[in-house]
Amino acid sequence: GAVVSQHPSRVICKSGTSVKIECRSLDFQATTMFWYRQFPKQSLMLMATSNEGSKATYEQGVEKDKFLINHASLTLSTLTVTSAHPEDSSFYICSAAGGEGNQPQHFGDGTRLSIL
Amino acid sequence: AQKITQTQPGMFVQEKEAVTLDCTYDTSDQSYGLFWYKQPSSGEMIFLIYQGSYDEQNATEGRYSLNFQKARKSANLVISASQLGDSAMYFCAMRDSNYQLIWGAGTKLIIKP
């Protein structure tokens, strides 16, 4: 099946640090990638949708200057949390879709971000 | 507005029994897709099963089947012969016309030995 690799799986860093999370589709071309944030015991909250070669579309309430998304190729998207603060601590998970109507989004394993 | 409703926040089921996880949806689209995902405590999201709105047959994947009742707008997940490893959060989701997924709140399933 389709494999999506997300790295790193866990980050602990000091307040003010910028953190980059990578999401790669390993065996298929992902025309669209999605970035989600998940708080404990809650469902996934879509942050942004990115298409290769174009600017990401952010959901309402998500600061695009805070959460920088780059979708440089059909297999790689990155999320950079700039100047992270403790309130940015969360579980971030990406998914990738090939574009066919009946194909599921395939998810990375997620990144647990802890800002001290 | 498009919405997914999962009314069971948590369920306890005896090992080897079948379990049904409820999911109802609301949409005005004629074409849509319904998905179920499993999220173990480790966090990864595992795709289980898909049902297209025009599919006449209920989807099945091994021990998973989807009881699709279009008129009632329900897409319940049925897990047969439950196993301890089935303990996880289960999310129902619907793909909208922008290919984004609309998520339910999830059901925490615990399988008792």
Side-chain angles (χ1 to χ4, degrees), chain B residues 75-92:
Chain B
N76 298 340
L77 176 70
V78 180
I79 306 174
S80 63
S82 58
Q83 303 170 356
L84 296 178
D86 293 333
S87 295
M89 283 291 292
Y90 288 81
F91 291 97
C92 178

Side-chain angles (χ1 to χ4, degrees), chain B residues 5-108:
Chain B
T5 302
Q6 293 180 255
T7 57
Q8 306 151 313
M11 288 186 71
F12 287 88
V13 173
Q14 198 68 41
E15 188 181 9
K16 299 181 184 178
E17 290 183 351
V19 57
T20 297
L21 304 180
D22 295 340
C23 173
T24 57
Y25 60 92
D26 193 12
T27 182
S28 56
D29 291 344
Q30 295 301 309
S31 178
Y32 49 89
L34 296 158
F35 300 81
W36 277 92
Y37 285 85
K38 172 184 178 182
Q39 187 179 37
S41 57
S42 50
E44 70 270 31
M45 294 290 285
I46 303 168
F47 164 69
L48 296 179
I49 197 166
Y50 165 82
Q51 180 84 41
S53 57
Y54 291 118
D55 294 341
E56 295 183 352
Q57 302 264 351
N58 285 343
T60 61
E61 289 286 347
R63 293 187 299 113
Y64 304 108
S65 61
L66 200 152
N67 184 0
F68 181 47
Q69 298 190 32
K70 195 171 182 177
R72 298 176 63 180
K73 294 189 174 180
S74 73
N76 298 340
L77 176 70
V78 180
I79 306 174
S80 63
S82 58
Q83 303 170 356
L84 296 178
D86 293 333
S87 295
M89 283 291 292
Y90 288 81
F91 291 97
C92 178
M94 176 172 64
R95 176 158 46 211
D96 68 11
S97 54
N98 294 319
Y99 289 94
Q100 293 179 353
L101 289 177
I102 300 164
W103 296 87
T107 296
K108 184 169 185 177

Side-chain angles (χ1 to χ4, degrees), chain A residues 34 36 38 42-44 46 49 59 91 93 99-105 107-109 112, chain B residues 33 35 37 39 41-45 47 50 89 91 95 98-101 103-106:
Chain A
F34 303 87
Y36 296 89
Q38 187 179 30
Q42 293 190 22
S43 186
L44 299 179
L46 180 66
T49 303
E59 294 300 299
F91 185 67
I93 191 166
E100 294 294 324
N102 62 348
Q103 295 302 307
Q105 290 182 21
F107 284 81
D109 288 345
R112 295 195 185 276
Chain B
F35 300 81
Y37 285 85
Q39 187 179 37
S41 57
S42 50
E44 70 270 31
M45 294 290 285
F47 164 69
Y50 165 82
M89 283 291 292
F91 291 97
R95 176 158 46 211
N98 294 319
Y99 289 94
Q100 293 179 353
L101 289 177
W103 296 87

Side-chain angles (χ1 to χ4, degrees), chain A:
Chain A
V3 179
V4 174
S5 173
Q6 185 173 341
H7 178 81
S9 59
R10 182 72 192 257
V11 180
I12 301 172
C13 57
K14 293 181 178 179
S15 183
T17 307
S18 291
V19 178
K20 179 184 280 189
I21 303 170
E22 290 189 350
C23 182
R24 293 180 183 271
S25 57
L26 298 185
D27 52 2
F28 69 103
Q29 292 186 325
T31 52
T32 306
M33 286 188 171
F34 303 87
W35 287 95
Y36 296 89
R37 183 173 181 176
Q38 187 179 30
F39 293 101
K41 299 183 180 181
Q42 293 190 22
S43 186
L44 299 179
M45 182 186 76
L46 180 66
M47 298 175 67
T49 303
S50 73
N51 292 292
E52 183 262 339
S54 60
K55 289 183 178 180
T57 301
Y58 289 81
E59 294 300 299
Q60 192 173 9
V62 178
E63 299 175 59
K64 59 183 179 183
D65 294 331
K66 175 74 169 178
F67 299 99
L68 299 178
I69 291 171
N70 184 276
H71 193 158
S73 73
L74 283 171
T75 59
L76 174 64
S77 177
T78 60
L79 167 67
T80 302
V81 184
T82 60
S83 187
H85 292 287
E87 59 266 28
D88 299 323
S89 298
S90 192
F91 185 67
Y92 294 87
I93 191 166
C94 71
S95 70
E100 294 294 324
N102 62 348
Q103 295 302 307
Q105 290 182 21
H106 297 282
F107 284 81
D109 288 345
T111 299
R112 295 195 185 276
L113 177 62
S114 299
I115 308 299
L116 306 178

